[in-house]
Amino acid sequence: MRRTLFAFLLAVALPAAAQHIDSQVRDPLAAGGTPGPGLMRLSAQDAPRVLPPGKLPADVRLEPPKDLNGYFPFEVPATHEAWERRAAELRMRVRVSCGLWPEPDRTPLKVRILGKAERPDFTAERVVFESVPGHFVTGLLFRPKGRKGPFPAVLSPHGHEGRLWDYGEANLRKMIDQGTERHEKSGRFPQLARGATLARLGCVVLIHDMLGYADSVQIPGAVAHKFAKQRPELDTPAKWGFFSTQAELRLQSILGVQAWNCLRALDFLAGLPDVDATRIGVTGSSGGGTQTILTCALDPRPVVAFPQGMVSTSMQGGCTCENACGLRIGTGNVELTAIIAPKPQGMTAANDWTKEMLTKGFPELEKLYAMLGAKGDVSCASHVNFPHNYNSVSRHLMYSLFNKHLKLGLAEPIVEQDFEPLTPAEFTVWDDTHPKPATGEDVETAFLKSVADASDRQLAALAPEKRRDVAAAALDVLIGRRVPPA
């Protein structure tokens, strides 16, 4: 059966060769008989070759597998039109690999504001909304105080330090001495300092939790960010968890859920009555930098971005929440970052995997922006004297960029000011009045099943022609080459 199929496949591509090989397959000597008329046995030395001995075809499947720490260069297309085609291909790759093709229904957010903290020139509100029915996105909403909108908005996804990251008093004093931070109070909480300062500058800012961090408890961090051992009991057609065969077949991933949470967070911000939805920025560092890159690739609403700490031709994201099947096939973070072009964006190079950006990655971004008529609208400052960070030095670069492109109209330089840190009661979403939702494997499997069911219903509702078009577009990404019309 296998030999017959092999001969048939060769007959499609190489008829003459197939006829020869098929005769060898049917050679009666293979069954202990005698050769028929005109048949002969070829030795390995006599067999025809396409390439010289020792040389392999130029096929990526024969190369060493590319892993997290491979080299991911960005080759700039020759023309504006070629880049537009490439950018469209990349957007589709991101959508498919994130499990967002076709895009899920944008169900009601059911926003709840659960309390407000007051400071002299900003407020911080505890907020929760549903990105899909029953799945809660939690965070803090910073707003300017004593000013009249509409205001620009900033989505600020955090990295693996967490929304409530606290350097601690002893570490902060060392950082102040090193020039990493400036203030003894607010400097301990760099994520919150970013939100508070942007609100002081005149922006509405949302810092929402990654899965498993702070108040996002339904999918625990041990699953979302530290998954290391398969769970056979959660890998059946009826009940499956993340990183299982069933989840991967459905393109369900932590990265995809967090990408969708970011898109729904943009919906939330854009729908606020005091927000100018034409002036939206996105910024985050580390894992939040990955989310910034993907959000700007998936959604046209951001007009400026500062993806800190993740734009690199080197390491592409060291957590399971930053990777998904198919995402970086033939591409990498620098090219994915370029999708927002020619809209302005900035970043820094630090003493981490981004340290070579000034010579590997950033020159290509500059070349692309120049070709698109936006020379000077992409920046990368070298701060390799600092380790991986979103410290006050990097934040001030972001404030200046957003001041210009969100049209805040503020005098430069912009300098952070100290503020009284938020208390646990002010930054914790869930309390006795609003108890935490359930967590655990049953919640995880029910969530994935509900998302799969919603996707099935969505596809079933499409006309056959449209369903075929949707499937063909996804297969282009999954297979990696154009699918025949049939």
Side-chain angles (χ1 to χ4, degrees), residues 168-178 184:
E169 183 176 351
N171 286 333
L172 181 63
R173 292 187 182 279
K174 294 178 183 178
M175 297 173 80
I176 291 176
D177 291 340
Q178 296 165 352
E184 291 190 2

Side-chain angles (χ1 to χ4, degrees), residues 83-426:
W83 168 247
E84 289 300 321
R85 291 193 297 271
R86 177 59 177 163
E89 292 173 359
L90 291 169
R91 290 188 190 97
M92 180 58 72
R93 176 165 294 282
V94 174
R95 289 195 179 281
V96 172
S97 60
C98 286
L100 301 178
W101 178 258
E103 184 178 280
D105 293 329
R106 300 204 176 208
T107 51
L109 290 171
K110 299 181 180 179
V111 176
R112 288 183 286 165
I113 305 294
L114 304 182
K116 179 188 292 187
E118 301 271 358
R119 294 296 182 270
D121 44 9
F122 70 90
T123 63
E125 297 168 285
R126 296 176 291 139
V127 63
V128 58
F129 61 83
E130 298 182 27
S131 60
V132 299
H135 179 71
F136 301 112
V137 178
T138 52
L140 287 174
L141 181 70
F142 292 86
R143 279 184 161 124
K145 187 176 179 181
R147 302 171 64 173
K148 185 178 180 180
F151 305 105
V154 176
L155 179 65
S156 187
H158 67 73
H160 291 89
E161 304 88 354
R163 166 167 62 93
L164 307 177
W165 180 258
D166 181 357
Y167 286 131
E169 183 176 351
N171 286 333
L172 181 63
R173 292 187 182 279
K174 294 178 183 178
M175 297 173 80
I176 291 176
D177 291 340
Q178 296 165 352
T180 302
E181 292 294 341
R182 291 170 177 256
H183 303 295
E184 291 190 2
K185 292 182 180 179
S186 60
R188 286 180 55 175
F189 305 92
Q191 306 284 3
L192 304 185
R194 188 164 75 239
T197 300
L198 284 167
R200 284 172 156 172
L201 300 180
C203 300
V204 175
V205 186
L206 176 66
I207 300 181
H208 66 287
D209 296 320
M210 291 204 302
L211 298 184
Y213 277 82
D215 294 299
S216 178
V217 299
Q218 292 172 291
I219 307 298
V223 172
H225 309 285
K226 298 180 181 180
F227 189 86
K229 186 178 181 181
Q230 285 295 334
R231 303 168 291 178
E233 71 279 9
L234 297 185
D235 194 4
T236 71
K239 186 176 184 180
W240 66 91
F242 284 104
F243 309 110
S244 66
T245 309
Q246 302 297 327
E248 300 297 344
L249 286 171
R250 293 169 171 82
L251 296 170
Q252 295 177 327
S253 66
I254 298 295
L255 177 137
V257 175
Q258 292 188 162
W260 183 242
N261 287 351
C262 284
L263 299 188
R264 299 314 314 272
L266 288 181
D267 292 343
F268 164 65
L269 283 172
L272 292 173
D274 56 344
V275 163
D276 177 359
T278 67
R279 292 186 292 161
I280 294 179
V282 185
T283 183
S285 176
S286 194
T290 300
Q291 293 178 74
T292 300
I293 294 168
L294 297 181
T295 300
C296 294
L298 289 166
D299 199 298
R301 288 175 290 185
V303 299
V304 61
F306 199 95
Q308 170 64 4
M310 280 313 306
V311 186
S312 169
T313 58
S314 183
M315 200 276 291
Q316 301 289 289
C319 182
T320 46
C321 81
E322 297 176 86
N323 294 278
C325 291
L327 177 61
R328 294 183 181 88
I329 303 299
T331 188
N333 282 359
V334 177
E335 188 176 39
L336 295 174
T337 300
I339 295 175
I340 194 177
K343 296 175 183 177
Q345 63 178 323
M347 63 210 70
T348 78
N351 188 19
D352 58 10
W353 46 89
T354 66
K355 62 185 177 183
E356 294 185 308
M357 264 298 289
L358 272 295
T359 57
K360 296 180 181 178
F362 182 61
E364 289 73 21
L365 288 175
E366 285 189 304
K367 180 179 178 181
L368 175 68
Y369 271 75
M371 183 178 71
L372 298 179
K375 184 178 181 180
D377 278 344
V378 62
S379 61
C380 182
S382 178
H383 288 301
V384 295
N385 53 313
F386 294 124
H388 188 60
N389 74 88
Y390 204 167
N391 60 27
S392 67
V393 178
S394 299
R395 295 197 300 271
H396 279 81
L397 293 170
M398 178 269 291
Y399 299 144
S400 181
L401 183 74
F402 281 24
N403 179 34
K404 178 180 179 180
H405 295 288
L406 294 180
K407 302 177 181 177
L408 300 178
L410 302 172
E412 297 278 356
I414 295 171
V415 179
E416 270 189 358
Q417 299 177 23
D418 209 358
F419 65 87
E420 194 65 34
L422 301 177
T423 66
E426 291 174 323

Side-chain angles (χ1 to χ4, degrees), residues 8-64:
F8 169 77
L9 291 174
L10 283 173
V12 174
L14 302 169
Q19 184 176 8
H20 172 74
I21 292 176
D22 194 45
S23 68
Q24 298 301 306
V25 169
R26 293 198 301 266
D27 184 351
L29 285 178
T34 57
L39 287 181
M40 59 178 293
R41 278 297 184 87
L42 293 177
S43 67
Q45 291 79 8
D46 296 328
R49 299 190 61 88
V50 175
L51 298 172
K55 184 174 179 58
L56 296 174
D59 188 326
V60 294
R61 293 170 296 180
L62 300 176
E63 298 174 3

